[in-house]
């Protein structure tokens, strides 16, 4: 005789799955899962996964990987990027990936959002841009330090291929 599916009793403070296996998660549990998923990223900057790198006191060497969609930056614990600095508003700015371009947008913060020392409401970010939210400063990186820009790599590759082709041509003529 078949017995109906029953969910096992759960320990106090934990949630069990419903009859169809549906689970409910608190915002804190979801943040924990997200931070564990981010740990899978190697934290290296790339055009596909840029980073905000902290440069001001208290933020040195902190790196925040940016993903597609919209991320909130602020002092509140439910921000995607939490900046524990009193000069940063609770909900200070958004960083949005719009068709492969990252845009920072001020969200009516008290102390303003600055890109390369210019106060902005909205700005498209480029590699190396300095971002200041209140007194907290970051650098937007799409590649690691010491890595040549992609355009330079293209020119070097094209030049090398031309030299090889010229060498082959000279070799053919000399035979």
């Amino acid at each position: 005789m078949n017995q109906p599916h029953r969910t096992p009793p759960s320990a106090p403070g934990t949630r069990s799955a419903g009859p169809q296996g549906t689970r409910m998660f608190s915002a804190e549990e979801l943040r924990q899962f997200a931070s564990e998923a981010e740990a899978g990223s190697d934290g290296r900057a790339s055009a596909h996964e840029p980073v905000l790198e902290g440069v001001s006191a208290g933020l040195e060497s902190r790196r925040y990987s940016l993903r597609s969609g919209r991320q909130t930056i602020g002092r509140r614990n439910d921000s995607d990027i939490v900046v524990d600095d009193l000069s940063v508003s609770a909900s200070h700015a958004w960083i949005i990936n719009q068709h492969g371009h990252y845009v920072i947008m001020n969200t009516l913060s008290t102390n303003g959002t600055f890109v390369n020392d210019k106060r902005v409401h909205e700005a498209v970010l480029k590699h190396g841009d300095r971002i200041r939210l209140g007194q907290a400063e970051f650098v937007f990186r799409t590649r690691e330090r010491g890595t040549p820009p992609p355009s330079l790599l293209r020119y070097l590759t094209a030049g090398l291929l031309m030299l090889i082709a010229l060498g082959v041509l000279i070799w053919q003529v000399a035979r």
Side-chain angles (χ1 to χ4, degrees), residues 54-62 64 84:
V55 293
S56 61
L59 293 171
E60 305 97 334
S61 73
R62 301 247 359 229
Y64 302 93
D84 189 20

Side-chain angles (χ1 to χ4, degrees), residues 17 74 97 115 153 171:
N97 180 347
V115 175
L153 287 175
W171 181 72

Side-chain angles (χ1 to χ4, degrees), residues 64-137:
Y64 302 93
S65 293
L66 301 177
R67 61 181 192 282
S68 60
R70 181 184 81 185
Q71 289 178 272
T72 57
I73 305 173
R75 217 175 52 245
R76 287 192 348 213
N77 286 336
D78 64 346
S79 295
D80 296 307
I81 298 173
V82 177
V83 181
D84 189 20
D85 183 311
L86 293 176
S87 68
V88 175
S89 295
S91 178
H92 199 103
W94 292 342
I95 290 190
I96 305 166
N97 180 347
Q98 293 180 340
H99 309 291
H101 299 284
Y102 282 82
V103 176
I104 190 161
M105 187 178 282
N106 186 51
T107 55
L108 302 176
S109 64
T110 304
N111 292 322
T113 298
F114 296 80
V115 175
N116 299 325
D117 291 324
K118 180 181 174 194
R119 190 177 190 128
V120 298
H121 171 66
E122 182 177 322
V124 176
L125 298 173
K126 299 178 300 305
H127 173 76
D129 280 348
R130 294 186 72 86
I131 299 164
R132 184 166 48 88
L133 310 169
Q135 298 300 314
E137 288 190 59

Side-chain angles (χ1 to χ4, degrees), residues 40-62:
S41 170
D42 66 1
R44 294 182 54 82
S46 71
H48 299 292
E49 190 175 315
V51 297
L52 282 184
E53 183 176 58
V55 293
S56 61
L59 293 171
E60 305 97 334
S61 73
R62 301 247 359 229

